Amino acid sequence: MRDSKKVQEQEKKNYDRAKEIFNEILPNKHPQFKQMPEFSVSDMRMQVATNQYNIELKGRSTSIYEYNEQPLKVKKYINLVKDTKPNETLLYMAIIDDGNWYIWNLSKLDWRTVKLDNMTAKKQEYNIGGSEYVCEPYFFLPLDTACLSSINN
């Protein structure tokens, strides 16, 4: 069983930090944000003028520099694509506890640069009473394909 309180705290922390980042990289654009409910496919939606975004947020407690890539569960990606409306751009944002962040425009990513492999990870984050691990397919998004100063449209 997952610790719903910890999940909500982390989701709120990620959402607040993402808002700060988007307001910083989109000065004078006045983005409008909507946090999605806890069990939604994505974490937030954003509108900037006439542009609409569906955004998945991933908080990381450790630096991803040593790996040069960010894992994204294939099943999660498929669900995000299904959840993204035709007029929306799908973004994936990794927020690192050290203050760094990365944004991938999954709608325009050159998927030939993305590695696909199996990875063993916790079945459920913030699990009460121990963690079960499973091996599942993941995409590994290269750091050099991330947007570091704005949103790549």
Side-chain angles (χ1 to χ4, degrees):
M1 184 169 85
R2 76 187 209 159
D3 187 335
S4 188
K5 184 178 179 188
K6 280 189 178 181
V7 170
Q8 289 172 359
E9 288 171 0
Q10 186 63 45
E11 297 277 327
K12 177 78 170 117
K13 177 181 170 185
N14 291 345
Y15 176 75
D16 290 343
R17 181 66 181 121
K19 282 177 41 178
E20 289 174 14
I21 293 165
F22 284 120
N23 279 315
E24 180 182 311
I25 66 175
L26 300 168
N28 305 316
K29 302 275 186 184
H30 311 289
Q32 301 297 308
F33 305 99
K34 180 180 180 185
Q35 184 174 15
M36 304 310 292
E38 183 179 339
F39 292 103
S40 297
V41 174
S42 64
D43 295 311
M44 75 187 299
R45 290 241 171 14
M46 178 176 71
Q47 180 172 339
V48 182
T50 59
N51 298 317
Q52 307 273 334
Y53 300 90
N54 186 17
I55 306 166
E56 174 65 12
L57 305 173
K58 182 65 178 173
R60 300 282 302 213
S61 59
T62 58
S63 175
I64 56 179
Y65 308 118
E66 61 192 83
Y67 305 108
N68 290 318
E69 55 199 13
Q70 166 67 33
L72 169 59
K73 193 183 296 189
V74 171
K75 189 184 320 181
K76 180 67 173 181
Y77 171 73
I78 291 167
N79 289 333
L80 286 166
V81 169
K82 289 178 184 176
D83 183 58
T84 302
K85 298 173 185 150
N87 65 330
E88 290 180 320
T89 299
L90 178 57
L91 302 179
Y92 185 78
M93 181 179 210
I95 302 170
I96 318 304
D97 281 352
D98 65 7
N100 290 301
W101 52 269
Y102 299 86
I103 301 171
W104 287 267
N105 181 337
L106 299 182
S107 297
K108 293 196 174 182
L109 182 65
D110 180 356
W111 287 92
R112 295 173 296 182
T113 66
V114 177
K115 184 172 74 175
L116 172 64
D117 204 351
N118 288 324
M119 183 172 94
T120 300
K122 288 181 183 179
K123 184 174 182 178
Q124 196 170 52
E125 289 182 284
Y126 308 110
N127 205 19
I128 298 172
S131 296
E132 181 181 345
Y133 289 82
V134 294
C135 185
E136 295 183 274
Y138 278 79
F139 291 120
F140 292 88
L141 307 175
L143 293 187
D144 63 359
T145 62
C147 310
L148 301 175
S149 60
S150 187
I151 299 174
N152 228 357
N153 271 329

